[in-house]
Amino acid sequence: MPASTLQSLLPETLAKIEKISDLKTLENLEVEVLGRKGKLTDMLRGIKDLSDDKKKTFGQEANKIKLELESAFAQKRDKLEKKALSEKLKTEIFDITEPGIKPEVGHVHPLSKVQWEVENIFSQMGFAIMDGPEIESEYFNFEGLNIPAHHPARDMQDTFFIDKEHDPKFGKLVLRTHTSPVQVRTMQKYGAPLRIIVPGRVFRYEATDASHDTTFDQVEGLLIDKNISLAHLKGVLEELLTRLFRQKVVVRFRPGYFPFVEPGLEVDFSCLLCEGKGCRVCKHSGWMEFMGAGMVHENVLKSGGIDPKEYQGWAFGFGLTRLVLMRYGIDDIRLLKSSDPRFLEQF
Ligand code: FA5
């Protein structure tokens, strides 16, 4: 292998590199000179025919040339890449003063908002927040609450039954029709005294209209202690409503019937719009219907394992969904579960 060929390879290649103005041509030249079948590799293959002396000098020389060429190719590649990038940037229009695209941010559903507010207010009054199963047994939904099978009071709440195997001791499985079953469950678990609320979803088999849905939310309240009276209930409810509606709200009791309380009450609160004077919203009565309540029936205390001679208390259950309607002035309950963004985005 003549050394002059090796010698001329360096300046020839450097001159070619100098003239190249694009990355692809540079890459091709690199393969042509330094690649596995390239010129330099080819020259090195002939080394075996040289004398030992020449082998050494040729080897050293070839290695030096290889390193120089590698460095020249790398420098040129770097230069061409930078040039390509700056040309690309020149053609791309990027206006840093243009306003960004505002990301869509979701928000809490109005029902959850009011539920959290109610929970907050009751927590501050020392109530614990409880939960219970939505698929209930007939026992907890009815019998345990002093509503035996075939009692006409069962007709007050039309029920969805679940066609599934169940423990006959507890009756069939039902979608709970109210949050009241959690009263007995909590009494059995924690005993007296008790101070709880139970927000939760309930289900009834009934025709829907602007104020009735088949799935809605209730909040149950239960307070069991010694020397408890309905005056405590009035105080707690007026505090809740006054804080929730941010205006003075008055509560009134009327007699009502629920098998699990005695005496039983219907609770109304003063109309928010006319403050009790009478207007279209309250049908000129000055009052809004709010919920059922009463002193816990002794049979219910017994179901919960609490001695009615030692403890007494009151319970209530209101429709959270209807409260949300009043809070935001919504005129159809079905909108709340509709998932229609045109409605939900207003809150
Ligand atoms: C009950 O469910 C009783 N468990 C309440 C109770 C608890 C009384 C503890 C005594 C002691 P009622 O069926 O009236 O009662 O329902 C309570 C509230 O749920 C009603 O005042 C109403 O606000 C709401 N409600 C009832 N049915 C529907 C419905 N179909 N759609 C929306 N809200 C409803």
mmCIF file of all heavy atoms in Angstrom, residues 229-274:
data_model
loop_
_atom_site.group_PDB
_atom_site.id
_atom_site.type_symbol
_atom_site.label_atom_id
_atom_site.label_comp_id
_atom_site.label_asym_id
_atom_site.label_seq_id
_atom_site.Cartn_x
_atom_site.Cartn_y
_atom_site.Cartn_z
ATOM 1 N N SER A 229 -84.423 17.314 73.973
ATOM 2 C CA SER A 229 -85.793 17.699 73.627
ATOM 3 C C SER A 229 -85.831 18.265 72.205
ATOM 4 O O SER A 229 -84.782 18.509 71.584
ATOM 5 C CB SER A 229 -86.298 18.758 74.608
ATOM 6 O OG SER A 229 -85.764 20.018 74.248
ATOM 7 N N LEU A 230 -87.051 18.534 71.712
ATOM 8 C CA LEU A 230 -87.205 19.096 70.363
ATOM 9 C C LEU A 230 -86.678 20.533 70.288
ATOM 10 O O LEU A 230 -86.422 21.034 69.202
ATOM 11 C CB LEU A 230 -88.676 19.034 69.939
ATOM 12 C CG LEU A 230 -89.195 17.611 69.644
ATOM 13 C CD1 LEU A 230 -90.684 17.634 69.358
ATOM 14 C CD2 LEU A 230 -88.447 16.998 68.461
ATOM 15 N N ALA A 231 -86.525 21.179 71.440
ATOM 16 C CA ALA A 231 -85.960 22.537 71.441
ATOM 17 C C ALA A 231 -84.528 22.491 70.884
ATOM 18 O O ALA A 231 -84.096 23.389 70.149
ATOM 19 C CB ALA A 231 -85.952 23.102 72.863
ATOM 20 N N HIS A 232 -83.789 21.417 71.202
ATOM 21 C CA HIS A 232 -82.422 21.278 70.664
ATOM 22 C C HIS A 232 -82.466 21.149 69.137
ATOM 23 O O HIS A 232 -81.639 21.715 68.428
ATOM 24 C CB HIS A 232 -81.726 20.045 71.255
ATOM 25 C CG HIS A 232 -81.546 20.102 72.738
ATOM 26 N ND1 HIS A 232 -82.116 19.193 73.598
ATOM 27 C CD2 HIS A 232 -80.878 20.992 73.511
ATOM 28 C CE1 HIS A 232 -81.797 19.494 74.842
ATOM 29 N NE2 HIS A 232 -81.036 20.594 74.821
ATOM 30 N N LEU A 233 -83.483 20.400 68.663
ATOM 31 C CA LEU A 233 -83.603 20.207 67.210
ATOM 32 C C LEU A 233 -83.860 21.556 66.522
ATOM 33 O O LEU A 233 -83.254 21.856 65.489
ATOM 34 C CB LEU A 233 -84.756 19.231 66.912
ATOM 35 C CG LEU A 233 -85.062 19.010 65.428
ATOM 36 C CD1 LEU A 233 -83.876 18.404 64.699
ATOM 37 C CD2 LEU A 233 -86.286 18.120 65.234
ATOM 38 N N LYS A 234 -84.747 22.349 67.117
ATOM 39 C CA LYS A 234 -85.085 23.650 66.524
ATOM 40 C C LYS A 234 -83.828 24.528 66.441
ATOM 41 O O LYS A 234 -83.558 25.153 65.399
ATOM 42 C CB LYS A 234 -86.165 24.343 67.384
ATOM 43 C CG LYS A 234 -86.931 25.395 66.652
ATOM 44 C CD LYS A 234 -88.296 25.616 67.316
ATOM 45 C CE LYS A 234 -89.188 26.480 66.487
ATOM 46 N NZ LYS A 234 -89.071 27.895 66.768
ATOM 47 N N GLY A 235 -83.071 24.527 67.517
ATOM 48 C CA GLY A 235 -81.845 25.340 67.556
ATOM 49 C C GLY A 235 -80.855 24.893 66.487
ATOM 50 O O GLY A 235 -80.301 25.723 65.746
ATOM 51 N N VAL A 236 -80.665 23.591 66.370
ATOM 52 C CA VAL A 236 -79.690 23.059 65.398
ATOM 53 C C VAL A 236 -80.130 23.386 63.975
ATOM 54 O O VAL A 236 -79.319 23.814 63.135
ATOM 55 C CB VAL A 236 -79.534 21.516 65.600
ATOM 56 C CG1 VAL A 236 -78.866 20.865 64.407
ATOM 57 C CG2 VAL A 236 -78.726 21.235 66.865
ATOM 58 N N LEU A 237 -81.443 23.235 63.688
ATOM 59 C CA LEU A 237 -81.917 23.469 62.316
ATOM 60 C C LEU A 237 -81.864 24.950 61.938
ATOM 61 O O LEU A 237 -81.517 25.294 60.805
ATOM 62 C CB LEU A 237 -83.343 22.934 62.151
ATOM 63 C CG LEU A 237 -83.475 21.403 62.253
ATOM 64 C CD1 LEU A 237 -84.926 20.983 62.126
ATOM 65 C CD2 LEU A 237 -82.630 20.699 61.202
ATOM 66 N N GLU A 238 -82.196 25.818 62.888
ATOM 67 C CA GLU A 238 -82.137 27.257 62.571
ATOM 68 C C GLU A 238 -80.688 27.686 62.325
ATOM 69 O O GLU A 238 -80.414 28.497 61.440
ATOM 70 C CB GLU A 238 -82.795 28.073 63.690
ATOM 71 C CG GLU A 238 -84.314 27.918 63.620
ATOM 72 C CD GLU A 238 -85.116 28.857 64.536
ATOM 73 O OE1 GLU A 238 -84.516 29.493 65.424
ATOM 74 O OE2 GLU A 238 -86.333 28.923 64.349
ATOM 75 N N GLU A 239 -79.770 27.102 63.076
ATOM 76 C CA GLU A 239 -78.347 27.401 62.878
ATOM 77 C C GLU A 239 -77.910 26.931 61.485
ATOM 78 O O GLU A 239 -77.259 27.658 60.744
ATOM 79 C CB GLU A 239 -77.530 26.684 63.978
ATOM 80 C CG GLU A 239 -76.024 26.786 63.860
ATOM 81 C CD GLU A 239 -75.484 28.183 64.190
ATOM 82 O OE1 GLU A 239 -76.259 29.012 64.703
ATOM 83 O OE2 GLU A 239 -74.291 28.423 63.914
ATOM 84 N N LEU A 240 -78.310 25.695 61.130
ATOM 85 C CA LEU A 240 -77.939 25.138 59.819
ATOM 86 C C LEU A 240 -78.441 26.036 58.689
ATOM 87 O O LEU A 240 -77.660 26.455 57.820
ATOM 88 C CB LEU A 240 -78.555 23.735 59.656
ATOM 89 C CG LEU A 240 -78.554 23.189 58.230
ATOM 90 C CD1 LEU A 240 -77.146 22.765 57.823
ATOM 91 C CD2 LEU A 240 -79.511 22.024 58.049
ATOM 92 N N LEU A 241 -79.748 26.355 58.711
ATOM 93 C CA LEU A 241 -80.347 27.080 57.589
ATOM 94 C C LEU A 241 -79.875 28.526 57.524
ATOM 95 O O LEU A 241 -79.642 29.062 56.438
ATOM 96 C CB LEU A 241 -81.875 27.006 57.676
ATOM 97 C CG LEU A 241 -82.417 25.574 57.507
ATOM 98 C CD1 LEU A 241 -83.869 25.477 57.930
ATOM 99 C CD2 LEU A 241 -82.244 25.104 56.071
ATOM 100 N N THR A 242 -79.705 29.162 58.683
ATOM 101 C CA THR A 242 -79.244 30.552 58.698
ATOM 102 C C THR A 242 -77.838 30.637 58.112
ATOM 103 O O THR A 242 -77.517 31.547 57.337
ATOM 104 C CB THR A 242 -79.284 31.102 60.139
ATOM 105 O OG1 THR A 242 -80.633 31.061 60.582
ATOM 106 C CG2 THR A 242 -78.771 32.523 60.225
ATOM 107 N N ARG A 243 -77.002 29.641 58.441
ATOM 108 C CA ARG A 243 -75.629 29.671 57.903
ATOM 109 C C ARG A 243 -75.600 29.291 56.425
ATOM 110 O O ARG A 243 -74.842 29.857 55.640
ATOM 111 C CB ARG A 243 -74.734 28.742 58.723
ATOM 112 C CG ARG A 243 -74.410 29.379 60.072
ATOM 113 C CD ARG A 243 -73.551 28.522 60.925
ATOM 114 N NE ARG A 243 -72.253 28.264 60.352
ATOM 115 C CZ ARG A 243 -71.343 27.485 60.925
ATOM 116 N NH1 ARG A 243 -71.599 26.926 62.096
ATOM 117 N NH2 ARG A 243 -70.187 27.286 60.373
ATOM 118 N N LEU A 244 -76.446 28.344 56.058
ATOM 119 C CA LEU A 244 -76.460 27.878 54.666
ATOM 120 C C LEU A 244 -76.972 28.951 53.710
ATOM 121 O O LEU A 244 -76.415 29.162 52.642
ATOM 122 C CB LEU A 244 -77.365 26.639 54.589
ATOM 123 C CG LEU A 244 -77.152 25.694 53.438
ATOM 124 C CD1 LEU A 244 -75.760 25.092 53.477
ATOM 125 C CD2 LEU A 244 -78.189 24.582 53.486
ATOM 126 N N PHE A 245 -78.051 29.645 54.108
ATOM 127 C CA PHE A 245 -78.655 30.652 53.226
ATOM 128 C C PHE A 245 -78.148 32.065 53.516
ATOM 129 O O PHE A 245 -78.572 33.026 52.877
ATOM 130 C CB PHE A 245 -80.176 30.601 53.324
ATOM 131 C CG PHE A 245 -80.758 29.340 52.734
ATOM 132 C CD1 PHE A 245 -81.373 28.386 53.521
ATOM 133 C CD2 PHE A 245 -80.655 29.093 51.374
ATOM 134 C CE1 PHE A 245 -81.896 27.225 52.972
ATOM 135 C CE2 PHE A 245 -81.176 27.934 50.811
ATOM 136 C CZ PHE A 245 -81.795 26.994 51.622
ATOM 137 N N ARG A 246 -77.272 32.182 54.499
ATOM 138 C CA ARG A 246 -76.665 33.475 54.846
ATOM 139 C C ARG A 246 -77.734 34.551 55.087
ATOM 140 O O ARG A 246 -77.608 35.697 54.666
ATOM 141 C CB ARG A 246 -75.678 33.914 53.762
ATOM 142 C CG ARG A 246 -74.548 32.927 53.619
ATOM 143 C CD ARG A 246 -73.551 33.272 52.562
ATOM 144 N NE ARG A 246 -72.606 32.185 52.420
ATOM 145 C CZ ARG A 246 -72.668 31.245 51.490
ATOM 146 N NH1 ARG A 246 -73.617 31.274 50.596
ATOM 147 N NH2 ARG A 246 -71.770 30.276 51.452
ATOM 148 N N GLN A 247 -78.826 34.179 55.712
ATOM 149 C CA GLN A 247 -79.856 35.133 56.142
ATOM 150 C C GLN A 247 -80.631 34.473 57.280
ATOM 151 O O GLN A 247 -80.622 33.241 57.387
ATOM 152 C CB GLN A 247 -80.806 35.510 54.984
ATOM 153 C CG GLN A 247 -81.737 34.399 54.525
ATOM 154 C CD GLN A 247 -82.550 34.804 53.293
ATOM 155 O OE1 GLN A 247 -82.020 34.940 52.196
ATOM 156 N NE2 GLN A 247 -83.845 35.008 53.477
ATOM 157 N N LYS A 248 -81.258 35.256 58.106
ATOM 158 C CA LYS A 248 -81.964 34.715 59.264
ATOM 159 C C LYS A 248 -83.130 33.825 58.800
ATOM 160 O O LYS A 248 -83.991 34.266 58.035
ATOM 161 C CB LYS A 248 -82.479 35.886 60.136
ATOM 162 C CG LYS A 248 -83.256 35.453 61.359
ATOM 163 C CD LYS A 248 -82.332 35.040 62.495
ATOM 164 C CE LYS A 248 -83.104 34.345 63.609
ATOM 165 N NZ LYS A 248 -82.486 33.115 64.086
ATOM 166 N N VAL A 249 -83.111 32.573 59.208
ATOM 167 C CA VAL A 249 -84.171 31.648 58.814
ATOM 168 C C VAL A 249 -84.833 31.117 60.087
ATOM 169 O O VAL A 249 -84.165 30.753 61.047
ATOM 170 C CB VAL A 249 -83.605 30.468 57.990
ATOM 171 C CG1 VAL A 249 -84.723 29.507 57.586
ATOM 172 C CG2 VAL A 249 -82.867 30.967 56.750
ATOM 173 N N VAL A 250 -86.188 31.087 60.087
ATOM 174 C CA VAL A 250 -86.942 30.591 61.241
ATOM 175 C C VAL A 250 -87.559 29.246 60.863
ATOM 176 O O VAL A 250 -87.968 29.042 59.719
ATOM 177 C CB VAL A 250 -88.052 31.611 61.635
ATOM 178 C CG1 VAL A 250 -88.836 31.128 62.844
ATOM 179 C CG2 VAL A 250 -87.426 32.964 61.920
ATOM 180 N N VAL A 251 -87.630 28.332 61.863
ATOM 181 C CA VAL A 251 -88.145 26.990 61.611
ATOM 182 C C VAL A 251 -89.452 26.807 62.367
ATOM 183 O O VAL A 251 -89.615 27.317 63.466
ATOM 184 C CB VAL A 251 -87.082 25.974 62.104
ATOM 185 C CG1 VAL A 251 -87.687 24.620 62.353
ATOM 186 C CG2 VAL A 251 -85.947 25.874 61.094
ATOM 187 N N ARG A 252 -90.420 26.097 61.753
ATOM 188 C CA ARG A 252 -91.636 25.775 62.516
ATOM 189 C C ARG A 252 -91.911 24.268 62.418
ATOM 190 O O ARG A 252 -91.548 23.619 61.419
ATOM 191 C CB ARG A 252 -92.829 26.590 62.032
ATOM 192 C CG ARG A 252 -93.503 26.015 60.815
ATOM 193 C CD ARG A 252 -94.854 26.679 60.536
ATOM 194 N NE ARG A 252 -95.418 26.112 59.323
ATOM 195 C CZ ARG A 252 -96.494 26.562 58.721
ATOM 196 N NH1 ARG A 252 -97.146 27.600 59.195
ATOM 197 N NH2 ARG A 252 -96.956 25.983 57.625
ATOM 198 N N PHE A 253 -92.540 23.742 63.470
ATOM 199 C CA PHE A 253 -92.894 22.321 63.498
ATOM 200 C C PHE A 253 -94.397 22.167 63.327
ATOM 201 O O PHE A 253 -95.168 22.928 63.927
ATOM 202 C CB PHE A 253 -92.521 21.705 64.862
ATOM 203 C CG PHE A 253 -91.034 21.623 65.122
ATOM 204 C CD1 PHE A 253 -90.557 21.523 66.434
ATOM 205 C CD2 PHE A 253 -90.111 21.608 64.094
ATOM 206 C CE1 PHE A 253 -89.204 21.431 66.701
ATOM 207 C CE2 PHE A 253 -88.741 21.517 64.344
ATOM 208 C CZ PHE A 253 -88.282 21.430 65.650
ATOM 209 N N ARG A 254 -94.790 21.153 62.530
ATOM 210 C CA ARG A 254 -96.203 20.756 62.437
ATOM 211 C C ARG A 254 -96.261 19.274 62.760
ATOM 212 O O ARG A 254 -95.271 18.565 62.530
ATOM 213 C CB ARG A 254 -96.711 20.934 61.003
ATOM 214 C CG ARG A 254 -96.927 22.332 60.570
ATOM 215 C CD ARG A 254 -97.432 22.381 59.120
ATOM 216 N NE ARG A 254 -96.402 22.053 58.129
ATOM 217 C CZ ARG A 254 -96.503 21.087 57.235
ATOM 218 N NH1 ARG A 254 -97.574 20.289 57.216
ATOM 219 N NH2 ARG A 254 -95.537 20.875 56.355
ATOM 220 N N PRO A 255 -97.399 18.778 63.238
ATOM 221 C CA PRO A 255 -97.462 17.339 63.478
ATOM 222 C C PRO A 255 -97.336 16.577 62.160
ATOM 223 O O PRO A 255 -97.813 17.030 61.134
ATOM 224 C CB PRO A 255 -98.865 17.135 64.075
ATOM 225 C CG PRO A 255 -99.415 18.477 64.348
ATOM 226 C CD PRO A 255 -98.646 19.482 63.566
ATOM 227 N N GLY A 256 -96.654 15.438 62.190
ATOM 228 C CA GLY A 256 -96.481 14.609 60.990
ATOM 229 C C GLY A 256 -96.403 13.160 61.399
ATOM 230 O O GLY A 256 -96.243 12.865 62.602
ATOM 231 N N TYR A 257 -96.500 12.248 60.427
ATOM 232 C CA TYR A 257 -96.450 10.841 60.809
ATOM 233 C C TYR A 257 -95.311 10.108 60.106
ATOM 234 O O TYR A 257 -95.216 10.104 58.864
ATOM 235 C CB TYR A 257 -97.769 10.127 60.485
ATOM 236 C CG TYR A 257 -97.639 8.646 60.727
ATOM 237 C CD1 TYR A 257 -97.493 8.158 62.029
ATOM 238 C CD2 TYR A 257 -97.606 7.735 59.671
ATOM 239 C CE1 TYR A 257 -97.318 6.799 62.265
ATOM 240 C CE2 TYR A 257 -97.442 6.379 59.911
ATOM 241 C CZ TYR A 257 -97.296 5.922 61.204
ATOM 242 O OH TYR A 257 -97.118 4.583 61.442
ATOM 243 N N PHE A 258 -94.425 9.544 60.880
ATOM 244 C CA PHE A 258 -93.407 8.601 60.410
ATOM 245 C C PHE A 258 -93.335 7.521 61.475
ATOM 246 O O PHE A 258 -93.248 7.855 62.677
ATOM 247 C CB PHE A 258 -92.026 9.278 60.277
ATOM 248 C CG PHE A 258 -92.013 10.405 59.294
ATOM 249 C CD1 PHE A 258 -92.225 11.712 59.703
ATOM 250 C CD2 PHE A 258 -91.773 10.162 57.949
ATOM 251 C CE1 PHE A 258 -92.228 12.759 58.799
ATOM 252 C CE2 PHE A 258 -91.774 11.213 57.029
ATOM 253 C CZ PHE A 258 -91.994 12.515 57.452
ATOM 254 N N PRO A 259 -93.400 6.231 61.105
ATOM 255 C CA PRO A 259 -93.482 5.161 62.106
ATOM 256 C C PRO A 259 -92.287 5.121 63.059
ATOM 257 O O PRO A 259 -92.381 4.552 64.136
ATOM 258 C CB PRO A 259 -93.526 3.891 61.266
ATOM 259 C CG PRO A 259 -93.852 4.319 59.887
ATOM 260 C CD PRO A 259 -93.406 5.728 59.743
ATOM 261 N N PHE A 260 -91.165 5.705 62.647
ATOM 262 C CA PHE A 260 -89.938 5.573 63.460
ATOM 263 C C PHE A 260 -89.713 6.737 64.416
ATOM 264 O O PHE A 260 -88.652 6.842 65.034
ATOM 265 C CB PHE A 260 -88.704 5.357 62.562
ATOM 266 C CG PHE A 260 -88.799 6.034 61.212
ATOM 267 C CD1 PHE A 260 -88.225 7.269 61.006
ATOM 268 C CD2 PHE A 260 -89.474 5.428 60.168
ATOM 269 C CE1 PHE A 260 -88.312 7.894 59.765
ATOM 270 C CE2 PHE A 260 -89.575 6.049 58.920
ATOM 271 C CZ PHE A 260 -89.003 7.279 58.724
ATOM 272 N N VAL A 261 -90.695 7.652 64.499
ATOM 273 C CA VAL A 261 -90.586 8.744 65.481
ATOM 274 C C VAL A 261 -91.911 8.899 66.232
ATOM 275 O O VAL A 261 -92.973 8.583 65.696
ATOM 276 C CB VAL A 261 -90.207 10.090 64.810
ATOM 277 C CG1 VAL A 261 -88.741 10.157 64.478
ATOM 278 C CG2 VAL A 261 -91.053 10.343 63.573
ATOM 279 N N GLU A 262 -91.832 9.382 67.433
ATOM 280 C CA GLU A 262 -93.059 9.624 68.223
ATOM 281 C C GLU A 262 -92.743 10.650 69.305
ATOM 282 O O GLU A 262 -91.965 10.342 70.209
ATOM 283 C CB GLU A 262 -93.531 8.298 68.844
ATOM 284 C CG GLU A 262 -94.784 8.416 69.691
ATOM 285 C CD GLU A 262 -95.987 8.961 68.926
ATOM 286 O OE1 GLU A 262 -96.171 8.550 67.765
ATOM 287 O OE2 GLU A 262 -96.684 9.813 69.476
ATOM 288 N N PRO A 263 -93.255 11.866 69.292
ATOM 289 C CA PRO A 263 -94.110 12.391 68.232
ATOM 290 C C PRO A 263 -93.350 12.652 66.934
ATOM 291 O O PRO A 263 -92.135 12.866 66.953
ATOM 292 C CB PRO A 263 -94.612 13.714 68.834
ATOM 293 C CG PRO A 263 -93.535 14.137 69.774
ATOM 294 C CD PRO A 263 -92.963 12.863 70.344
ATOM 295 N N GLY A 264 -94.119 12.661 65.816
ATOM 296 C CA GLY A 264 -93.520 12.919 64.496
ATOM 297 C C GLY A 264 -93.830 14.339 64.044
ATOM 298 O O GLY A 264 -94.838 14.920 64.432
ATOM 299 N N LEU A 265 -92.925 14.884 63.234
ATOM 300 C CA LEU A 265 -93.073 16.293 62.817
ATOM 301 C C LEU A 265 -92.841 16.471 61.325
ATOM 302 O O LEU A 265 -92.056 15.726 60.718
ATOM 303 C CB LEU A 265 -91.997 17.162 63.494
ATOM 304 C CG LEU A 265 -91.790 17.087 64.986
ATOM 305 C CD1 LEU A 265 -90.515 17.841 65.326
ATOM 306 C CD2 LEU A 265 -92.987 17.721 65.677
ATOM 307 N N GLU A 266 -93.491 17.472 60.780
ATOM 308 C CA GLU A 266 -93.102 18.017 59.477
ATOM 309 C C GLU A 266 -92.446 19.348 59.799
ATOM 310 O O GLU A 266 -92.975 20.118 60.606
ATOM 311 C CB GLU A 266 -94.327 18.251 58.590
ATOM 312 C CG GLU A 266 -95.005 16.981 58.100
ATOM 313 C CD GLU A 266 -94.212 16.229 57.027
ATOM 314 O OE1 GLU A 266 -93.250 16.809 56.470
ATOM 315 O OE2 GLU A 266 -94.541 15.068 56.781
ATOM 316 N N VAL A 267 -91.308 19.586 59.206
ATOM 317 C CA VAL A 267 -90.583 20.827 59.517
ATOM 318 C C VAL A 267 -90.629 21.765 58.312
ATOM 319 O O VAL A 267 -90.366 21.342 57.191
ATOM 320 C CB VAL A 267 -89.107 20.518 59.893
ATOM 321 C CG1 VAL A 267 -88.358 21.794 60.225
ATOM 322 C CG2 VAL A 267 -89.048 19.528 61.040
ATOM 323 N N ASP A 268 -90.976 23.005 58.549
ATOM 324 C CA ASP A 268 -90.951 24.030 57.488
ATOM 325 C C ASP A 268 -89.969 25.133 57.898
ATOM 326 O O ASP A 268 -89.672 25.276 59.078
ATOM 327 C CB ASP A 268 -92.329 24.705 57.343
ATOM 328 C CG ASP A 268 -93.445 23.703 57.075
ATOM 329 O OD1 ASP A 268 -93.179 22.677 56.446
ATOM 330 O OD2 ASP A 268 -94.589 23.973 57.520
ATOM 331 N N PHE A 269 -89.489 25.893 56.921
ATOM 332 C CA PHE A 269 -88.706 27.089 57.296
ATOM 333 C C PHE A 269 -89.259 28.316 56.588
ATOM 334 O O PHE A 269 -89.908 28.200 55.538
ATOM 335 C CB PHE A 269 -87.200 26.911 57.079
ATOM 336 C CG PHE A 269 -86.767 26.635 55.668
ATOM 337 C CD1 PHE A 269 -86.584 27.656 54.756
ATOM 338 C CD2 PHE A 269 -86.478 25.333 55.271
ATOM 339 C CE1 PHE A 269 -86.152 27.401 53.465
ATOM 340 C CE2 PHE A 269 -86.048 25.063 53.979
ATOM 341 C CZ PHE A 269 -85.888 26.091 53.071
ATOM 342 N N SER A 270 -89.001 29.481 57.177
ATOM 343 C CA SER A 270 -89.568 30.723 56.646
ATOM 344 C C SER A 270 -89.075 30.962 55.222
ATOM 345 O O SER A 270 -87.903 30.744 54.918
ATOM 346 C CB SER A 270 -89.170 31.899 57.541
ATOM 347 O OG SER A 270 -87.767 31.894 57.758
ATOM 348 N N CYS A 271 -89.995 31.405 54.356
ATOM 349 C CA CYS A 271 -89.669 31.597 52.937
ATOM 350 C C CYS A 271 -88.485 32.569 52.794
ATOM 351 O O CYS A 271 -88.469 33.644 53.391
ATOM 352 C CB CYS A 271 -90.892 32.122 52.189
ATOM 353 S SG CYS A 271 -90.559 32.476 50.462
ATOM 354 N N LEU A 272 -87.517 32.168 51.969
ATOM 355 C CA LEU A 272 -86.297 32.975 51.835
ATOM 356 C C LEU A 272 -86.571 34.256 51.070
ATOM 357 O O LEU A 272 -85.895 35.268 51.261
ATOM 358 C CB LEU A 272 -85.232 32.171 51.084
ATOM 359 C CG LEU A 272 -84.837 30.846 51.741
ATOM 360 C CD1 LEU A 272 -84.068 29.979 50.775
ATOM 361 C CD2 LEU A 272 -84.012 31.128 52.991
ATOM 362 N N LEU A 273 -87.575 34.189 50.203
ATOM 363 C CA LEU A 273 -87.830 35.331 49.337
ATOM 364 C C LEU A 273 -88.610 36.429 50.066
ATOM 365 O O LEU A 273 -88.242 37.599 50.026
ATOM 366 C CB LEU A 273 -88.610 34.844 48.106
ATOM 367 C CG LEU A 273 -88.286 35.592 46.833
ATOM 368 C CD1 LEU A 273 -86.866 35.297 46.399
ATOM 369 C CD2 LEU A 273 -89.283 35.202 45.743
ATOM 370 N N CYS A 274 -89.721 36.028 50.736
ATOM 371 C CA CYS A 274 -90.578 37.053 51.363
ATOM 372 C C CYS A 274 -90.392 37.090 52.882
ATOM 373 O O CYS A 274 -91.052 37.877 53.559
ATOM 374 C CB CYS A 274 -92.036 36.769 51.026
ATOM 375 S SG CYS A 274 -92.617 35.213 51.719
#
